[in-house]
Amino acid sequence: MREETLSMLRSHSNRSRAKLSSMMNLPIEHAAQGCEIIDTQGQTYLDCGGFGVFILGHRHPEIVESVVQQLNILPMSSRTLVNNTLAIASKKLADFCPETLDYTFFTNSGTESTELALKLARANGCNKVVAITGSYHGKTLGALSVTHRSAFRAPFEPLFDEVTFVARDDMTALSTCFENHSDRVAVIIEPVQGEGGVYALSSEFVQLAKALCVAHDGLLIADEIQSGLARTGFDWAIEAHQVTPDMMLVGKGLSGGVVPCAALVATAATFEPLNKDFMLHSSTFGGSPIALAAAITTLDILKRDNIANKARTIGLKLVAALSPHATKAGVRVRGSGVLIGLDAQNPARAGQLTLALLQHKVITSHSLSNANTVRLTPSALLTEAQINQMITACIAAFSSLPAKDLP
């Protein structure tokens, strides 16, 4: 079955991806439940990958039930008649967000949310955008224009003009972007750069970005696609900085890992161009009733079960347990909540660490904008036994790496 699957993938899906899967001897996933994935050979893996989607694990029974119910009633919208599910989901997400973020637009993916944010910035007169080195906001043309990694950008250049990248936490460079500017400026940040290797921006930098936007009539866009929805131990990572953005991008875990769903949430003032003319931006499938049913239930669970606190507790335990062993192996541990980066210092060691963890039945995520870092993005519903399983697997994987001192 495996060779047949890889052959079909090589011929009809993606040759380079199939080649990598073959080289890594990756198993074929078959089923999932909770925090685990089972392959076609019956082997069980602890899922610490998924790029941040599975904050509530796989196939959470309440979310699955809500989707099944909606599937049996109205899975897709007419886009002409009034949809009550959209109304409920829009209010529920706005209520879950920081105050003043009142308007919601649902999309299918994080990169679509980024595209809408850039359009709204333009519609509000922000013709210049400041992005951060190490950033990752997606791979469509607009999102790629504010994504920093040159390997992703180069084949598709020229991208959008008037995008300036400043180094993470470089206060002077950020301030300079607003000096002697007649144009309004939008700043897009990830409070925690997930794909960038799990680097958290400093509070001073985030607060300066907000202050500059206020002083110069700019807009602050917070990309919480990966860091939001309880993953870092807060409902939203930006809460740690006591800052409210003008727009916030939401995705990954929004529908509990059951149906693709993402969103943009904005202040009334920022959203005004769309309030004046809803035809300026639309999506045939964005905000489908089945996705919104999942999102409504997910938001209820996040709030009811205080998932942010669970994530914070797990993260503290993992970082404390892993750091001493990681340091001995020349690996640096970064992160908070259930967004943790294992910086192996170079891509080769990161690859070795990935394979070693897979051999110990732990699935990880690579970091798209930082090949040195392996990410652990497990569910916040890990049991104590699963937490200990992860710790044991990581310690064993660290010990298999060739010696390398931390700089």
Side-chain angles (χ1 to χ4, degrees):
M1 179 181 182
R2 183 172 182 278
E3 288 308 314
E4 181 183 3
T5 299
L6 287 172
S7 177
M8 287 188 288
L9 289 171
R10 275 192 297 269
S11 300
H12 304 293
S13 178
N14 189 286
R15 191 169 64 249
S16 61
R17 182 167 184 174
K19 181 180 179 180
L20 179 62
S21 298
S22 181
M23 289 173 56
M24 294 178 66
N25 196 31
L26 296 179
I28 299 175
E29 58 189 7
H30 172 66
Q33 183 64 56
C35 303
E36 297 176 332
I37 290 178
I38 302 169
D39 71 13
T40 52
Q41 302 300 311
Q43 296 291 312
T44 299
Y45 301 80
L46 186 61
D47 187 10
C48 299
F51 297 93
V53 168
F54 301 105
I55 186 69
L56 297 179
H58 293 268
R59 297 174 57 222
H60 190 291
E62 293 178 63
I63 301 171
V64 170
E65 177 61 24
S66 69
V67 171
V68 169
Q69 288 182 10
Q70 189 65 50
L71 187 64
N72 288 325
I73 299 170
L74 182 71
M76 299 294 294
S77 169
S78 69
R79 299 297 174 181
T80 299
L81 303 182
V82 176
N83 191 276
N84 185 55
T85 308
L86 175 60
I88 294 170
S90 298
K91 183 179 187 303
K92 192 170 287 287
L93 180 54
D95 288 347
F96 194 81
C97 290
E99 288 188 16
T100 73
L101 295 176
D102 294 328
Y103 281 88
T104 301
F105 190 104
F106 286 99
T107 65
N108 299 285
S109 66
T111 191
E112 289 181 39
S113 297
T114 304
E115 293 289 335
L116 176 53
L118 295 174
K119 286 179 69 175
L120 270 176
R122 284 276 184 91
N124 279 278
C126 294
N127 295 320
K128 298 184 183 297
V129 180
V130 176
I132 313 302
T133 59
S135 61
Y136 180 89
H137 301 288
K139 291 177 180 171
T140 51
L141 283 179
L144 192 56
S145 298
V146 291
T147 291
H148 184 240
R149 188 176 178 185
S150 59
F152 297 149
R153 296 168 55 87
F156 307 104
E157 291 176 334
L159 298 169
F160 287 5
D161 292 335
E162 304 300 343
V163 176
T164 301
F165 286 94
V166 301
R168 182 176 53 242
D169 290 341
D170 189 333
M171 314 274 278
T172 301
L174 181 62
S175 298
T176 300
C177 292
F178 285 83
E179 293 174 1
N180 304 318
H181 254 310
S182 57
D183 291 327
R184 296 179 68 187
V185 177
V187 180
I188 183 167
I189 63 169
E190 298 160 279
V192 180
Q193 293 183 335
E195 302 294 349
V198 192
Y199 282 98
L201 299 183
S202 69
S203 288
E204 293 80 7
F205 187 79
V206 175
Q207 290 169 1
L208 177 62
K210 176 64 175 180
L212 288 168
C213 286
V214 170
H216 296 271
D217 199 23
L219 293 174
L220 179 63
I221 306 166
D223 181 342
E224 291 264 18
I225 292 166
Q226 187 164 160
S227 60
L229 297 169
R231 181 152 293 279
T232 64
F234 298 87
D235 286 338
W236 307 102
I238 203 164
E239 290 176 12
H241 309 302
Q242 298 181 315
V243 164
T244 299
D246 300 288
M247 289 183 266
M248 194 158 71
L249 313 183
V250 187
K252 302 297 186 184
L254 180 55
S255 59
V258 176
V259 182
C261 188
L264 174 142
V265 190
T267 63
T270 306
F271 202 80
E272 184 60 15
L274 294 187
N275 271 336
K276 285 183 176 179
D277 184 358
F278 71 92
M279 294 295 287
L280 286 178
H281 191 82
S282 58
S283 172
T284 300
F285 297 114
S288 66
I290 52 172
L292 298 185
I296 288 167
T297 305
T298 297
L299 292 167
D300 286 341
I301 294 169
L302 291 174
K303 184 176 181 179
R304 181 195 71 199
D305 296 346
N306 198 358
I307 298 300
N309 185 63
K310 293 181 186 295
R312 188 181 311 119
T313 300
I314 291 172
L316 290 171
K317 182 170 184 176
L318 288 174
V319 171
L322 296 179
S323 291
H325 300 276
T327 300
K328 291 178 183 178
V331 175
R332 183 173 282 110
V333 180
R334 291 189 293 267
S336 60
V338 283
L339 177 55
I340 296 173
L342 307 176
D343 187 343
Q345 299 191 60
N346 62 55
R349 278 168 53 90
Q352 290 174 302
L353 182 57
T354 297
L355 289 174
L357 283 166
L358 190 62
Q359 289 172 358
H360 288 88
K361 301 297 186 289
V362 173
I363 299 171
T364 60
S365 293
H366 58 278
S367 298
L368 289 172
S369 291
N370 184 336
N372 298 340
T373 302
V374 177
R375 276 178 299 155
L376 302 175
T377 55
S379 166
L381 302 182
L382 289 168
T383 65
E384 283 299 315
Q386 288 168 335
I387 293 171
N388 291 331
Q389 176 187 349
M390 192 196 311
I391 292 170
T392 300
C394 286
I395 292 172
F398 293 153
S399 68
S400 71
L401 294 176
K404 184 175 179 67
D405 294 331
L406 287 171

